[in-house]
Structure formats: structure tokens, C-alpha cells
Amino acid sequence: MNYSDSFRDKELVQGLARRIAELTKGVEKPLVFMEVCGTHTMAIYQFGLRSLLPPQVKLISGPGCPVCVTPNSYLDRAIALCRLPDVIITSFGDMLRVPGSSSSLMEERAKGADIRVVYSPLDAVQLAAKNPTKRVVFLGVGFETTAPTIAGSILAAKAQGLTNYFVLASHKTMPQPMAILSADPDLQVDGYICPAHVSAIIGADAYRFLCEEYRVPCVVTGFEPTDVLQGVEMLVRQALAGESKVEIQYSRVVRWEGNAKAQAMLADVFTPFDAPWRGIGVLPGSGLRIADKYAEFDAELAIPVQVEELKEHKGCLCGEILKGKVSPFDCPLFGGKCTPESPVGACMVSSEGTCAAAFKYGR
């Protein structure tokens, strides 16, 4: 028996679904809850959780996949860097297949660019140490979950005295886009399934302002079927009672205060800035850039390069999908021109992308 089996128990899952159905009996307007974590998106599709819920409860996906929200302009810069003869690009695997304006890192690697998949930013630091005549660039993409490890790589490079390790940073932070979505009159979210991994770093207290300013319930929820359905039940109870507060369903991992050590590392190495999000635009204070005192590790500042003119892919609805306004099945490219084997938009590339999850489990 695996540790996760008890969280996937069929009778427990069906019992939670029956309780939600009983609670919402007679509710006329469907309650709309948004998940803002790609792992939640994948779990909801993989376990068919939507099919267990009554029509009075609707789950929609938001901007929770870090690869998906990374704009084309970032990909274009990474591609321009990989074309420099003394540059080694290092990255997690998902980024390689994301199409930029006219190419992808996968295509560039096939043409001869030195692009390597690593399992940790520290692997990239070691690569820089072993290749002193090369400039090693790590693609720093992700939310608060991955940003501490990348901050750690910069500190490790500094401690080793490396001058050929760089990070092309495109980190995003989660609470701010949820506020933007809460203020959107076209969306009208009744509650958030808050991200679990991110919350382990920033703490559940980070969402209190959403409850106070926008009157929207928030529940930090785990990833297993019983976690998700219990989180939905907690949101339903709040919504029906007219409450808006933060609750922690994922109490076996998440604390109210978060991880103080990781937060201190982020505050030391990065500084907040107005970050561009794919399909959403520039959101004030929603990203992390490398702080001035570590500027020598910032690839964007340290390695000048000519970047091609930005082009967006016609017909791709990734932006609207990331805002929860349409589903993948509303996109005219879904399943035809855009598939996991030949993706047009980033939502189809990432293993946590909404379109990839819908293609694999939702059809």
C-alpha cells in the first residue's frame, strides 16, 4: 500500500462528492471555484473530479503553470542567447518545447546550440565550474516554489567565485494575479483553491488580503482527490454561509507563516518588479528579478544580445485560458493544429498546462 492510497480511496472520494451535492442542492447559480496551480489542474483532469461534482459547482483553471505564463519575449531572449557561440543554456525540460516568436529551444538544439536539461540549478553551477571558458545561463522560470533553489544557485556561484554563471530570471509570485482576477467583472470567482507548493513557502497568511478586499474565500488545498474535494467542500460551506476567510486543508504541509528561511533567501537575492504574464499583461509587483547586489549573475544585464521582434501566435487562446475565461475546448487550435506533439501555445507544452491536461484526460 502506498502512502497516497488513502488519499485516493474510492469510497472516501465518492462520500465527499455526495456531501458537496447535498450541500449545494437547490443552489440556483453555480458556484465557480478557480485553481491557480498547474498540479491541481492536472489532478482534477487526471482523476475526473469534475465529473463527480454536481452542476451547482464549476471548477475553472487559472494562471498556475509557470511555463504557461512565461511570455514569448522571454523565450525569444533565451533563443537569442543560445545562438551565441560561447553560451550554454541550461533548463528544466518543459521550457525546451515552448515556441517563441519564430523558433524554440528544441529547434535551436537540433541546429547545434548547446542546450542542456538539468535536474537542479546547482547542476548548472557545477557545469559552469567545469567549463570556465563558457558562459552558462540557467533559465529561471517558476513561482515561489522554485525561486529559492535558484536563489541558492546564485549564492553557491558567488561563494565559489564563479564569473561565468548567470540566471535569466522570469519568476512570478502568486497572490497578486489572484487579486487582478478577483477584480475582473467578467470572471466572478466564488473562491480559490490556493496553490499548495507555493503556500508552503509564502504561508497561508499571504491570502488574507483577498478575503478582506475582495470578499472571496480561499482554501489552501493538497493534490490528491480527497484533498481537492475536501477543499471544494470547505469553499462551498464558506460561499453558502457568506463567509470569506483563509482555511488550510493541506495542513500536513502548509503553515500560516510559511518557510521563513526560504522567504529570507528570496528577499536577499531577488527584488519584486512589474512582471509580464502571457495573455494577462504586466501585473504590478508580480515578479522577482535579481537584486542589484547580485547583478553580475543577471543574464539579461550581463550578456547583451539582439532579440528578434515579438510575434504572437494567431488563433492561440492561451491568454484567455490562463484567465479562466474560456476552456481549452473553446480554442480553435486545440487538438488540431495544437497538440502535445506539435504545440502552438505554452498551455499545451507543459506537463502542468491546462491544454495538455485537457488533451490527455479531458477528451
Side-chain angles (χ1 to χ4, degrees):
M1 181 176 181
N2 295 324
Y3 172 75
S4 60
D5 285 351
S6 59
F7 299 101
R8 301 179 181 183
D9 182 271
K10 184 177 178 180
E11 290 187 9
L12 288 176
V13 169
Q14 291 178 337
L16 285 163
R18 284 195 296 270
R19 285 220 300 264
I20 293 169
E22 186 66 27
L23 283 169
T24 56
K25 190 178 295 182
V27 172
E28 296 183 357
K29 182 184 175 186
L31 299 170
V32 179
F33 302 132
M34 174 182 279
E35 88 271 1
V36 287
C37 172
T39 310
H40 280 139
T41 301
M42 187 57 73
I44 289 167
Y45 274 107
Q46 179 181 357
F47 296 108
L49 299 183
R50 282 188 178 86
S51 66
L52 299 177
L53 294 172
Q56 292 88 349
V57 176
K58 182 181 180 182
L59 302 184
I60 61 174
S61 302
C65 164
V67 172
C68 303
V69 300
T70 301
N72 270 5
S73 57
Y74 177 88
L75 266 301
D76 291 343
R77 181 170 292 277
I79 289 167
L81 286 170
C82 84
R83 291 170 176 167
L84 298 177
D86 65 336
V87 167
I88 300 173
I89 294 290
T90 57
S91 173
F92 300 134
D94 278 1
M95 289 298 296
L96 268 61
R97 297 175 61 243
V98 181
S101 291
S102 63
S103 184
S104 70
L105 291 168
M106 187 75 83
E107 292 176 28
E108 296 300 318
R109 188 165 73 169
K111 295 175 184 175
D114 196 345
I115 300 171
R116 308 187 192 188
V117 174
V118 295
Y119 293 102
S120 161
L122 291 178
D123 293 342
V125 174
Q126 290 181 357
L127 189 64
K130 292 177 180 176
N131 295 272
T133 62
K134 296 285 189 177
R135 293 182 287 184
V136 176
V137 178
F138 182 77
L139 303 185
V141 172
F143 289 99
E144 295 95 330
T145 314
T146 54
T149 64
I150 296 168
S153 76
I154 291 175
L155 295 176
K158 187 175 182 64
Q160 295 178 42
L162 296 179
T163 59
N164 65 327
Y165 176 70
F166 308 91
V167 172
L168 185 62
S170 183
H171 296 295
K172 305 293 191 294
T173 54
M174 184 40 69
Q176 187 58 26
M178 294 166 71
I180 301 293
L181 294 171
S182 299
D184 189 333
D186 295 331
L187 204 53
Q188 297 185 346
V189 174
D190 295 301
Y192 287 107
I193 299 171
C194 295
H197 292 151
V198 165
S199 302
I201 302 297
I202 67 175
D205 271 333
Y207 306 102
R208 287 194 190 279
F209 79 100
L210 293 171
C211 304
E212 295 168 358
E213 295 181 22
Y214 300 98
R215 302 293 301 166
V216 60
C218 294
V219 176
V220 180
T221 305
F223 300 114
E224 296 296 335
T226 53
D227 289 325
V228 175
L229 290 181
Q230 189 175 40
V232 170
E233 181 187 355
M234 294 163 76
L235 286 171
V236 166
R237 290 185 182 279
Q238 282 200 53
L240 295 181
E243 297 177 333
S244 58
K245 58 186 179 183
V246 183
E247 295 183 287
I248 304 176
Q249 183 279 330
Y250 200 37
S251 57
R252 60 186 185 277
V253 173
V254 175
R255 302 289 178 267
W256 290 101
E257 70 278 9
N259 185 320
K261 189 171 183 179
Q263 292 170 17
M265 189 180 292
L266 291 179
D268 177 42
V269 176
F270 295 112
T271 189
F273 84 113
D274 300 342
W277 293 59
R278 180 188 293 268
I280 299 177
V282 176
L283 304 184
S286 67
L288 296 174
R289 67 170 177 80
I290 297 174
D292 291 344
K293 64 179 178 178
Y294 297 104
E296 69 267 32
F297 299 100
D298 189 334
E300 188 166 354
L301 298 177
I303 309 178
V305 68
Q306 185 69 38
V307 181
E308 68 179 290
E309 183 179 353
L310 178 66
K311 297 176 184 174
E312 299 293 347
H313 303 288
K314 292 182 179 178
C316 175
L317 296 185
C318 273
E320 295 302 294
I321 291 169
L322 289 168
K323 287 184 281 191
K325 293 190 173 182
V326 300
S327 84
F329 304 102
D330 297 319
C331 180
L333 306 184
F334 179 81
K337 290 185 177 179
C338 186
T339 66
E341 290 74 27
S342 182
V344 176
C347 296
M348 186 61 90
V349 175
S350 171
S351 60
E352 295 187 343
T354 303
C355 295
F359 188 89
K360 187 173 183 180
Y361 297 111
R363 295 185 300 163

